[in-house]
Amino acid sequence: RSRMLVSIGESFGLSNRFQKINQMVNSSERSFKRTLDLGSAPKPLKRL
Amino acid sequence: RHKELQREVCDLTEAEEQLDELISKCNLQLRLLTEEPQNKKLGYVRCQDLKKSFDSPDQLVMVIRAPPETQMQVSEPSKGYQVSLKSTRGPIDVFLCPED
Amino acid sequence: AQECQNLEVERQRRLERIKQKQSQLQELILQQIAFKNLVQRNRQTEQQANRPPPPNSIIHLPFIIVNTSKKTVIDCSISNDKFEYLFNFDSMFEIHDDIEVLKRMGMACGLEVGKCSPEDLKVARSLVPKALEPYVIGQCPGWDRFIWS
């Protein structure tokens, strides 16, 4: 499983710091949906 | 061809050094700009700015304000996604943008 | 011939690095323009309203945004001292930093997408030091692209 680390809390500077993270989440969303179709429904998490 | 390439590489070296200098000047200016007390006080966005920027009505907007050097880790466990925040220099504030 | 080949490789590498540094510099200029525009707008708004906005209606920079569908179930654990948070999302989300929000608010005069009117360009140029002006012009197609001499 992939994991990404980024430092937050600073003012401007680097651009597109979160582009890779958004791509990772976005791309695995599709594969996650696919497994959902195949596998059992995940246990519902506590509502916020 | 050799002489021409040598001159070109020399020009590019000079150009790159000039860019490095401009970049470090710009970084310094940006830091001074954002740390200037009056600008710090006026450097804010309003809730409606956030709503307008992420305009789709079905979107939930969460705002995270963290001290410098806070580590954010996004991992992809077997189900869903996990986001962990770890600060060493102060508490982290998380807000949900209100509906209205 | 070998030396020429090495010089050619060196030339390509430098061109790549210069291109990357030019876009880094242009991003820094955009951020400077966006921040100055934001401060100016807030100053004018406060002068017109004759008072600062209610504290719970504003978010000071720096911040980041996490946006997700309202249907997403978010499981959140927080340490007592609020130094640690753990979120579990059951659906996808996006993370953006504050400069992305300012760009979406139009604070960068459209320079980030290369679409800015002559008036916007005038505003943008007035917000950056003279030495950096050529980089602002270079971002708007239709103007003379800033050729790195």
Side-chain angles (χ1 to χ4, degrees), chain B residues 23 51 54 81 91 97:
Chain B
I23 285 171
K51 298 303 283 175
F54 296 88
Y81 309 95
C97 223

Side-chain angles (χ1 to χ4, degrees), chain B residues 16-82:
Chain B
E16 189 174 2
E17 283 159 8
Q18 218 174 358
L19 268 174
D20 289 337
E21 196 188 329
L22 280 172
I23 285 171
S24 58
K25 262 189 200 151
C26 232
N27 270 314
L28 176 64
Q29 280 168 3
L30 207 46
R31 198 165 57 250
L32 296 175
L33 192 67
T34 50
E35 285 167 5
E36 200 272 331
Q38 190 59 8
N39 287 345
K40 225 179 172 75
K41 182 171 152 291
L42 288 165
Y44 59 77
V45 297
R46 300 166 308 195
C47 286
Q48 57 263 45
D49 294 325
L50 296 179
K51 298 303 283 175
K52 255 187 259 169
S53 308
F54 296 88
D55 55 0
S56 36
D58 81 323
Q59 284 293 297
L60 175 88
V61 177
M62 185 195 288
V63 185
I64 299 175
R65 291 202 75 243
E69 291 162 36
T70 298
Q71 291 305 306
M72 168 188 261
Q73 177 175 292
V74 180
S75 43
E76 189 195 352
S78 54
K79 292 224 181 320
Y81 309 95
Q82 202 163 69

Side-chain angles (χ1 to χ4, degrees), chain B residues 2 8 15-16 57 59-60, chain C residues 3 11 17 67-68 70 148:
Chain B
H2 185 273
E8 201 168 341
E16 189 174 2
Q59 284 293 297
L60 175 88
Chain C
E3 276 193 25
R11 175 179 169 277
R17 280 212 303 263
N67 66 294
T68 181
K70 280 200 176 108
W148 183 257

Side-chain angles (χ1 to χ4, degrees), chain C residues 28-44:
Chain C
L28 287 171
I29 293 169
L30 280 193
Q31 295 182 8
Q32 201 174 124
I33 291 169
F35 184 74
K36 285 182 175 176
N37 258 336
L38 177 75
V39 166
Q40 260 177 21
R41 180 206 71 167
N42 291 341
R43 182 178 289 116
Q44 282 160 12

Side-chain angles (χ1 to χ4, degrees), chain B residues 1-3 5-6 8-9 11-16 18-20 22-27 29-30 33-35 38-66 70 72 74 77 79-96 99, chain C residues 3-5 7-8 10-12 14-15 17-22 24-25 28-29 31-33 35-36 38-39 41-43 45-46 52-53 56-72 74 81-96 100-102 104-105 129 131-132 135 148-149:
Chain B
R1 176 82 186 124
H2 185 273
K3 208 180 278 323
L5 278 170
Q6 252 178 344
E8 201 168 341
V9 166
D11 288 351
L12 290 174
T13 307
E14 203 180 307
E16 189 174 2
Q18 218 174 358
L19 268 174
D20 289 337
L22 280 172
I23 285 171
S24 58
K25 262 189 200 151
C26 232
N27 270 314
Q29 280 168 3
L30 207 46
L33 192 67
T34 50
E35 285 167 5
Q38 190 59 8
N39 287 345
K40 225 179 172 75
K41 182 171 152 291
L42 288 165
Y44 59 77
V45 297
R46 300 166 308 195
C47 286
Q48 57 263 45
D49 294 325
L50 296 179
K51 298 303 283 175
K52 255 187 259 169
S53 308
F54 296 88
D55 55 0
S56 36
D58 81 323
Q59 284 293 297
L60 175 88
V61 177
M62 185 195 288
V63 185
I64 299 175
R65 291 202 75 243
T70 298
M72 168 188 261
V74 180
K79 292 224 181 320
Y81 309 95
Q82 202 163 69
V83 177
S84 72
L85 301 173
K86 275 197 178 55
S87 157
T88 53
R89 295 171 56 175
I92 301 167
D93 288 318
V94 176
F95 314 92
L96 285 185
E99 295 278 324
Chain C
E3 276 193 25
C4 273
Q5 197 177 348
L7 280 170
E8 189 57 56
E10 175 64 12
R11 175 179 169 277
Q12 279 309 320
R14 287 208 179 263
L15 283 170
R17 280 212 303 263
I18 284 176
K19 205 164 117 211
Q20 185 265 326
K21 287 179 178 177
Q22 276 188 326
Q24 185 187 352
L25 180 62
L28 287 171
I29 293 169
Q31 295 182 8
Q32 201 174 124
I33 291 169
F35 184 74
K36 285 182 175 176
L38 177 75
V39 166
R41 180 206 71 167
N42 291 341
R43 182 178 289 116
T45 312
E46 290 192 12
N56 65 348
S57 71
I58 58 176
I59 306 277
H60 272 95
L61 274 59
F63 61 82
I64 62 171
I65 292 282
V66 180
N67 66 294
T68 181
S69 155
K70 280 200 176 108
K71 298 189 195 77
T72 302
I74 307 171
D81 58 6
K82 288 178 49 176
F83 275 47
E84 293 194 32
Y85 282 69
L86 185 63
F87 297 99
N88 277 296
F89 291 78
D90 77 337
S91 176
M92 66 173 285
F93 56 85
E94 276 192 350
I95 306 178
H96 298 286
E100 175 64 24
V101 174
L102 297 195
R104 291 191 188 200
M105 288 165 61
L132 299 174
Y135 281 87
W148 183 257
S149 59

